[in-house]
Amino acid sequence: MTSVFKKAICSTVTILSCATQTAIATPEIAWSQSGFDQPESVLAHPGEPLLYVSNINGSPTELNSKGYISLLSDDGSIIQHVWVNGMDAPKGMAMDADYLYVADMQRLHIIDYKQGKLIRSITAETSTMLNDITIDDAGIVYISDLTGGGIYRYRNNTLTQWISSDQLPHPNGLTVKDGALIVATWGEGMKEDFSTATLGGLVSINLETGTLSPYKSAQQFGNLDGIASVGDSLLISDWLNGKIFEFKNNTVQLLMETGKHAADISTKGEYLYIPMMFSQRIEAYKIQP
């Protein structure tokens, strides 16, 4: 469930070497803010000291029109608890120079974040739980469908499926790095409690050809949710087990344990932001690459 600003204004397998020193030192908590309603994603504005938080405000699959976005300063202070509302179960977010994009079950919401106004919602009829979002250098928006499978693309004002559910049964976190779409998968054989028969891993997708290339050294290590890029590293959250992993130099290492239900993480500068979904809080950690 992670997002990247990518336009003009910024824009068999084991966990390897878990016992060794990670490339990023163990993060130290900077602040914690409570009082949210199932916060699923936190996104940092690339050019302003602002954070956006998606609040499911109900079951993760409930269509109750109670979901909303909160607006915070980057020190954790709440600017507007209910900033934009009228959603069902909003999850991942991404920004470009003009809009904030929000994944919400079968809909992609487009918000004019300068006005704080929801201006358009587009339905992907074949999807079931649109989850995370990222944007590439060309301004194309990518959205994962956690339960229905596959990846959707929004370009030229049209939302269509790009990668099929057969290719990616349960994708979640998305980020664009080095000209590829990096996907953190949930795992396969998903059960009603969101546990899986096999754990998820990382997959790279060529943006030009749509060719999938699983990272051989980063498979079956968690029920993966958010993914964020920090220098040469990728940070990935394991929602079900409450862990944050680092992937660097073809090695997955445990960075920290947060407690269960660490959802769609994001980073900005020296900070890592973690929404603790069922603990109703956002935590900010200082990271030192």
Side-chain angles (χ1 to χ4, degrees):
M1 297 178 195
T2 185
S3 304
V4 176
F5 190 108
K6 283 289 183 180
K7 291 183 75 177
I9 66 170
C10 67
S11 221
T12 256
V13 183
T14 56
I15 300 171
L16 304 178
S17 305
C18 273
T20 62
Q21 177 81 18
T22 61
I24 295 176
T26 301
E28 298 181 357
I29 193 163
W31 54 259
S32 179
Q33 179 64 272
S34 60
F36 300 96
D37 295 295
Q38 292 84 49
E40 203 282 335
S41 180
V42 56
L43 176 68
H45 190 295
E48 302 290 339
L50 300 172
L51 301 174
Y52 304 88
V53 176
S54 62
N55 293 259
I56 292 174
N57 198 17
S59 165
T61 61
E62 188 176 3
L63 305 180
N64 61 10
S65 299
K66 294 181 180 180
Y68 62 92
I69 309 298
S70 297
L71 181 64
L72 282 65
S73 68
D74 63 4
D75 64 0
S77 303
I78 296 176
I79 297 173
Q80 193 168 348
H81 186 79
V82 180
W83 175 61
V84 176
N85 59 8
M87 304 176 196
D88 288 315
K91 299 178 178 68
M93 299 177 287
M95 300 178 73
D96 64 17
D98 299 304
Y99 302 113
L100 173 69
Y101 300 87
V102 184
D104 182 4
M105 297 306 291
Q106 290 185 293
R107 294 186 296 169
L108 172 66
H109 299 300
I110 302 176
I111 295 170
D112 181 333
Y113 62 82
K114 296 171 186 176
Q115 298 185 54
K117 182 179 180 181
L118 175 59
I119 61 171
R120 187 181 181 194
S121 296
I122 307 161
T123 300
E125 299 289 352
T126 57
S127 68
T128 61
M129 188 194 282
L130 298 179
N131 207 293
D132 198 20
I133 306 182
T134 194
I135 306 173
D136 69 13
D137 291 331
I140 299 172
V141 181
Y142 300 85
I143 311 105
S144 61
D145 184 353
L146 174 60
T147 57
I151 304 289
Y152 288 76
R153 282 196 308 197
Y154 178 69
R155 61 176 180 173
N156 300 324
N157 298 314
T158 303
L159 181 61
T160 58
Q161 191 177 57
W162 177 51
I163 302 296
S164 71
S165 58
D166 289 338
Q167 293 172 286
L168 277 177
H170 299 295
N172 199 334
L174 303 176
T175 192
V176 172
K177 187 177 179 67
D178 300 328
L181 178 66
I182 312 302
V183 183
T185 69
W186 194 265
E188 296 192 25
M190 184 183 289
K191 304 171 186 178
E192 289 187 7
D193 64 355
F194 289 98
S195 64
T196 55
T198 60
L199 296 176
L202 300 181
V203 176
S204 175
I205 305 179
N206 186 296
L207 292 175
E208 296 295 327
T209 66
T211 302
L212 278 68
S213 301
Y215 288 89
K216 293 181 180 179
S217 59
Q219 296 299 305
Q220 297 184 18
F221 67 94
N223 294 118
L224 306 180
D225 195 322
I227 182 170
S229 179
V230 180
D232 295 332
S233 298
L234 292 171
L235 302 185
I236 311 105
S237 62
D238 178 347
W239 184 85
L240 203 60
N241 298 297
K243 297 177 180 180
I244 305 294
F245 294 99
E246 179 188 12
F247 178 66
K248 184 175 182 179
N249 298 327
N250 292 315
T251 300
V252 174
Q253 301 181 86
L254 178 63
L255 181 63
M256 61 185 292
E257 297 196 36
T258 62
K260 288 188 175 183
H261 310 130
D264 186 13
I265 61 175
S266 69
T267 58
K268 181 182 178 182
E270 59 184 2
Y271 290 95
L272 166 66
Y273 301 102
I274 306 176
M276 301 302 298
M277 188 168 159
F278 290 123
S279 299
Q280 320 296 0
R281 69 181 189 274
I282 303 297
E283 294 182 342
Y285 288 84
K286 193 170 184 179
I287 51 179
Q288 299 178 341

